Amino acid sequence: MAFTNQFALTLELTRLLPPIRWATSKAGSAIISRARDLRQSGSDIVVEEDLASVFGRCRISPTLASSFKTIVTKSSSNVSLLEGIILQGGPGPTVARALQESPYFAMVVQLSFLVWAFPSIHMATAIADALRKRSEGAPTTLGLPSSPDIRGILGVLRACESQTSAFNWNMILDAVSTTLGYQVDRAPLDIPPFVLQGLIDMFPMVQSLPSDRFVHIQIPVGERLCSGVSALVVWAHHVLDLAVLVRPLQQEGQSPRYITFGDPDLEQVFIEEVDADKEAFITLLDSQKEHLLTIKLEPDAEDALIGSMRRTPVKGWGNALLAEKISHLRFVAASQAITASRAVVEELQLVTSAFAFIIAKNLIKGSAPEYVDDEDMVDTRRPIVYDTDEHRLLQASRFLFDNPQISRREIDSYVAQYQFKALDEHLPIPPAVEASARAFRSRPKFDNQWSILVENAKKLGIFLIALANITNPGDCEDFMFDGRAFHFMIQHPLFEQLREWNGKDALGISDDAWLQALAVPLLGYQGRVWDLPWGKVCLVSDRGWSAWISTFGDADPSYVREGSITLGRGSPCRNGIWKVGIWDSEPGRLLSSGDSRRVESCGETTFLRCADKVIWESPYCGEGEDVFVVSARFRLQDRLQKKGLIHRFGYKTMQKYLWQAQRSISCSHGSRSSKDVKLAVGCATVAGFGHHLHDTGERILIFLTAQNRGARWLALAAVPQIGIISDFVETGGTARRILLRGEDCCYQCVIDQAASRPGMWSIIL
């Protein structure tokens, strides 16, 4: 008997499969505890109940269930970020319950796949619309509960996504796409919304009556139409263990082709690709081929697809991007495609790497003031160069292109050709690139294509430098992201500078340049990265991965590489509460603690010590809507007060303070803390972190903060803000440059290093 609408099908399923009841079977206190845990992780107990009542009616393939549980369970990890905040990887409350209760496990597995293949916001919208439409035929007297909204569904999807990110669905998707005859990076994944709407009821119906129910999906395929066949096969066959028969679009002059997944004698799902001018529908049939229910694209509805995303491992991703670009530009002849493409990709690897090396050599800390020499060498100021470790940059290139054979010598040959020139289409074209296109492309058109390749190489070059500034590159091989999001790198401030760069001027960067570059692919292709308040962003997180700045923790500033970032699997969590980011709670407050004071002057003897005791207190941790808000706290011990003042600074603010400093150069003497130093003319030692210091004309001020991490951070914050008071005028402290002493430099040598450089200096001892 045919169903009049999808709601009738839903009622029939209720008769075959009793509704899932979880909350009413538990004690009240257990319900409250579970609800609290889920809400704190970003999910919702009511929405999970609603989704489990839909997706939990299916049975998961035993083979997939076993591997899924093993991989997800083993992915559990805890990494300390700050006192009280950890990076939680692996199962959280949503998955923990799913591992114990089969309906929720069925829900989690299916949603894990769907948000792997489709952006969570797109899938949340599609599910919300599907649940609303399937209830449209219900009698008004039935009093059905309202369907969950997009926001609630999105919370559940993100919980599933982050807690199951260790399971690599690409392995299954790629295998299916290869079987279907598609290139892995071009397999059809986008699906029409009405197909999702029908499958959420038709799949469990077929599983309940495996010999008497059958699904036929007919989808037109054209230039802008996609069948989503790869995603549908994974969902139906690999996840739900249904037998699937696929009939790809028949090309002119070819005989029909059929591809079977599962039992060839049991056709439970038939996916048929047809010409673009034919009708799209999904139909549930019985064993007699009677149409029980058909769902079609509504006449007045938009024919938009649920857009997919292709997750790509960062290792080797550069090759995929380059290959996609040259394929899209179509300047490699079909007869030469394999050999020519390989040669072009390898040459573009070197071009991109050369761009990265050239850009890196011209970087300065853009937030620092630009200094100009005057004749008297007084108050002389210059840009602070940002040094990139070239060995790490070479390793990043080999990692991004998965090519250990890339050599520095080959890169330098391109650097020699391109340095001191604008990075644009006027650069010399590499021979393999030009040779591959010369035979069948006009020169003007090819020049435009070369321009596109150059722009792409600049974006990749920025990303390469960001990878070189990751503190833990060995932990990044499993990191996967949506490569299409890389388009939004064009909004990176450094890329915008490169548009007008002449190849000679300095390129200014901010302290968060590399975190921004990594956030572009991490946060997805919606461009959300540029909506963040970067002045206070410490950590970004999405899809079970996080990236954060290096000032977290309680390390001495000399051990922190300014601008560097760390990447790890997991989401920030505190006391069971999960968030998607960490921000500064405030820009930082340097409280008034009296004037700074001179201790020793020219001709007097000084030694390594800390004049004022600073205690690094536990950090402040609060909560915003989706983020934690944090700040470091430093207690300045006062000789007259037992407790003393507490200064608070956000960790992003601490990175800004460190960004303004230059580091001492290591010497052969070591720390030599026991050796006294006699101060020369123009030198004085300073104690305290007050807002003012009376001027006596010294060119070098030495802040006595040795062997106290908190005091050294507090000095980094105080020095730029100290006003120098003379008999006539008070001037700000920004005129002085800051030299941060490392433990590998002795007292005398750090003074000598400041003395040998022009300008006014403050040494953080």
Side-chain angles (χ1 to χ4, degrees):
M1 180 183 70
F3 299 105
T4 56
N5 52 47
Q6 190 169 356
F7 180 74
L9 173 60
T10 303
L11 288 181
E12 178 67 10
L13 271 173
T14 303
R15 183 181 66 81
L16 295 172
L17 300 170
I20 297 167
R21 301 292 184 189
W22 177 85
T24 56
S25 67
K26 303 289 183 180
S29 60
I31 297 174
I32 294 173
S33 177
R34 175 71 70 184
R36 182 181 296 111
D37 290 344
L38 292 172
R39 182 174 293 276
Q40 290 177 341
S41 70
S43 188
D44 184 275
I45 191 170
V46 175
V47 180
E48 284 198 9
E49 189 89 357
D50 291 337
L51 295 180
S53 68
V54 176
F55 293 95
R57 299 169 299 176
C58 293
R59 297 185 303 276
I60 302 300
S61 162
T63 302
L64 179 72
S66 177
S67 61
F68 188 90
K69 288 180 180 179
T70 299
I71 293 172
V72 171
T73 302
K74 287 184 177 180
S75 68
S76 180
S77 62
N78 295 319
V79 176
S80 177
L81 295 173
L82 289 170
E83 185 177 334
I85 301 181
I86 62 173
L87 193 69
Q88 176 75 55
T94 297
V95 173
R97 173 168 69 162
L99 294 174
Q100 299 174 0
E101 302 182 40
S102 57
Y104 295 92
F105 180 73
M107 175 196 74
V108 164
V109 173
Q110 292 177 82
L111 295 184
S112 173
F113 167 67
L114 291 175
V115 292
W116 180 280
F118 304 91
S120 54
I121 184 61
H122 292 182
M123 185 50 59
T125 303
I127 291 175
D129 289 344
L131 295 180
R132 175 180 54 81
K133 290 178 180 179
R134 71 198 283 265
S135 301
E136 287 179 349
T140 56
T141 57
L142 200 56
L144 292 177
S146 59
S147 299
D149 60 14
I150 294 175
R151 183 178 178 83
I153 296 173
L154 183 61
V156 177
L157 292 181
R158 286 179 172 168
C160 293
E161 184 176 37
S162 63
Q163 295 173 33
T164 66
S165 63
F167 192 84
N168 187 353
W169 288 98
N170 272 11
M171 293 186 294
I172 303 175
L173 276 167
D174 292 351
V176 167
S177 299
T178 301
T179 301
L180 291 170
Y182 295 107
Q183 293 183 22
V184 168
D185 59 342
R186 297 188 177 187
L189 299 178
D190 301 359
I191 60 175
F194 75 88
V195 172
L196 173 73
Q197 175 191 341
L199 291 179
I200 60 178
D201 283 324
M202 293 183 184
F203 275 163
M205 178 63 81
V206 173
Q207 281 192 328
S208 300
L209 301 170
S211 300
D212 194 45
R213 293 295 182 267
F214 171 77
V215 176
H216 179 199
I217 305 171
Q218 178 171 296
I219 305 180
V221 176
E223 185 176 349
R224 302 186 63 182
L225 296 174
C226 176
S227 68
V229 61
S230 292
L232 294 174
V233 169
V234 172
W235 188 7
H237 176 63
H238 290 276
V239 176
L240 302 181
D241 208 20
L242 297 173
V244 178
L245 179 66
V246 177
R247 181 182 177 180
L249 181 65
Q250 183 177 346
Q251 302 298 326
E252 186 176 352
Q254 293 181 344
S255 57
R257 184 167 62 100
Y258 294 91
I259 303 172
T260 302
F261 296 86
D263 188 349
D265 298 325
L266 185 63
E267 299 175 9
Q268 296 173 311
V269 179
F270 177 37
I271 304 172
E272 184 179 16
E273 295 181 340
V274 296
D275 291 327
D277 58 349
K278 294 190 176 180
E279 189 178 34
F281 62 80
I282 177 171
T283 299
L284 179 69
L285 306 92
D286 62 15
S287 56
Q288 304 303 314
K289 306 302 182 184
E290 178 185 354
H291 288 207
L292 303 179
L293 177 67
T294 296
I295 300 175
K296 301 179 181 179
L297 180 68
E298 298 175 2
D300 57 344
E302 297 182 2
D303 59 355
L305 302 170
I306 305 175
S308 62
M309 62 179 177
R310 303 182 189 278
R311 302 206 188 205
T312 308
V314 65
K315 184 176 183 180
W317 170 72
N319 294 330
L321 182 62
L322 294 176
E324 178 186 357
K325 286 297 179 183
I326 63 176
S327 174
H328 177 72
L329 294 175
R330 298 176 182 175
F331 68 80
V332 176
S335 60
Q336 304 172 334
I338 297 177
T339 56
S341 294
R342 186 182 300 117
V344 171
V345 166
E346 290 177 353
E347 208 157 47
L348 291 176
Q349 290 175 359
L350 298 175
V351 170
T352 301
S353 302
F355 279 17
F357 274 85
I358 292 170
I359 294 169
K361 289 179 180 179
N362 289 274
L363 296 177
I364 62 169
K365 296 180 179 180
S367 61
E370 295 192 3
Y371 296 84
V372 180
D373 294 341
D374 65 22
E375 293 181 358
D376 299 324
M377 302 296 287
V378 177
D379 204 21
T380 305
R381 301 192 255 176
R382 295 174 179 171
I384 302 177
V385 174
Y386 183 83
D387 292 320
T388 300
D389 187 321
E390 293 189 344
H391 175 72
R392 293 176 69 94
L393 187 53
L394 176 61
Q395 294 302 113
S397 177
R398 292 170 175 172
F399 176 77
L400 184 64
F401 297 117
D402 194 17
N403 183 1
Q405 304 305 317
I406 293 178
S407 72
R408 181 62 189 274
R409 180 181 56 81
E410 292 177 302
I411 294 173
D412 285 344
S413 68
Y414 282 93
V415 170
Q417 295 182 63
Y418 296 157
Q419 65 182 345
F420 310 125
K421 299 176 183 177
L423 301 182
D424 57 25
E425 69 276 9
H426 301 297
L427 291 174
I429 301 172
V433 176
E434 188 167 25
S436 298
R438 185 184 298 118
F440 60 100
R441 281 283 185 263
S442 64
R443 182 71 194 207
K445 186 169 185 178
F446 176 62
D447 285 345
N448 180 60
Q449 293 170 334
W450 170 235
S451 175
I452 294 173
L453 293 176
V454 168
E455 294 298 290
N456 188 66
K458 287 191 287 189
K459 290 186 288 184
L460 272 177
I462 295 172
F463 191 61
L464 268 178
I465 304 174
L467 290 179
N469 281 276
I470 292 179
T471 62
N472 59 332
D475 299 334
C476 302
E477 291 197 8
D478 293 334
F479 175 47
M480 305 189 76
F481 57 80
D482 179 12
R484 290 183 299 179
F486 202 66
H487 166 74
F488 290 98
M489 191 67 79
I490 63 174
Q491 295 175 259
H492 194 284
L494 181 53
F495 184 83
E496 292 178 348
Q497 288 185 73
L498 291 174
R499 290 181 185 275
E500 306 296 330
W501 190 49
N502 61 8
K504 301 174 184 178
D505 295 340
L507 296 165
I509 57 171
S510 62
D511 60 284
D512 47 25
W514 313 133
L515 183 61
Q516 290 176 339
L518 196 63
V520 169
L522 174 63
L523 296 184
Y525 66 86
Q526 300 175 67
R528 291 182 295 144
V529 60
W530 304 117
D531 297 330
L532 295 177
W534 281 104
K536 57 183 179 180
V537 173
C538 304
L539 177 148
V540 292
S541 181
D542 199 17
R543 303 180 186 131
W545 283 85
S546 299
W548 62 95
I549 60 179
S550 54
T551 48
F552 278 169
D554 56 2
D556 185 274
S558 64
Y559 293 146
V560 178
R561 168 67 173 167
E562 64 269 28
S564 62
I565 48 180
T566 306
L567 182 68
R569 187 191 297 278
S571 304
C573 178
R574 177 174 180 258
N575 299 328
I577 300 173
W578 298 53
K579 300 290 185 179
V580 296
I582 300 179
W583 295 356
D584 276 3
S585 63
E586 53 189 314
R589 293 181 298 164
L590 184 66
L591 302 178
S592 176
S593 55
D595 290 348
S596 298
R597 61 195 185 279
R598 281 174 176 74
V599 179
E600 294 126 350
S601 300
C602 171
E604 295 182 305
T605 300
T606 182
F607 60 96
L608 281 176
R609 68 193 189 278
C610 184
D612 298 272
K613 185 178 181 180
V614 177
I615 299 174
W616 199 327
E617 300 276 5
S618 298
Y620 164 79
C621 297
E623 294 179 30
E625 182 177 359
D626 295 315
V627 299
F628 293 113
V629 290
V630 298
S631 62
R633 302 190 306 156
F634 303 95
R635 184 185 299 276
L636 175 60
Q637 289 291 89
D638 192 303
R639 289 186 292 271
L640 301 178
Q641 302 178 13
K642 291 184 178 180
K643 292 186 177 180
L645 292 173
I646 293 182
H647 301 271
R648 290 167 52 166
F649 305 103
Y651 289 89
K652 175 61 188 301
T653 303
M654 289 168 62
Q655 178 169 273
K656 291 178 182 177
Y657 292 148
L658 186 59
W659 192 250
Q660 302 174 49
Q662 300 184 48
R663 297 175 183 270
S664 64
I665 302 171
S666 63
C667 69
S668 59
H669 311 120
S671 186
R672 295 204 316 194
S673 59
S674 61
K675 185 174 181 179
D676 294 346
V677 172
K678 187 175 182 179
L679 294 175
V681 176
C683 298
T685 59
V686 178
F689 310 96
H691 290 173
H692 304 95
L693 178 66
H694 287 276
D695 183 26
T696 55
E698 288 90 358
R699 190 167 76 87
I700 299 175
L701 299 179
I702 306 163
F703 284 77
L704 298 173
T705 58
Q707 302 160 355
N708 187 304
R709 295 167 298 151
R712 284 158 64 77
W713 278 111
L714 205 54
L716 283 170
V719 167
Q721 303 180 44
I722 293 177
I724 306 298
I725 302 175
S726 68
D727 293 336
F728 306 101
V729 69
E730 177 181 345
T731 61
T734 56
R736 290 183 176 271
R737 286 179 285 176
I738 302 171
L739 185 60
L740 177 66
R741 186 188 72 88
E743 287 191 357
D744 57 356
C745 183
C746 71
Y747 199 161
Q748 184 62 63
C749 285
V750 74
I751 296 176
D752 292 344
Q753 289 175 25
S756 66
R757 307 174 189 183
M760 310 282 282
W761 286 88
S762 292
I763 296 175
I764 309 297
L765 196 58

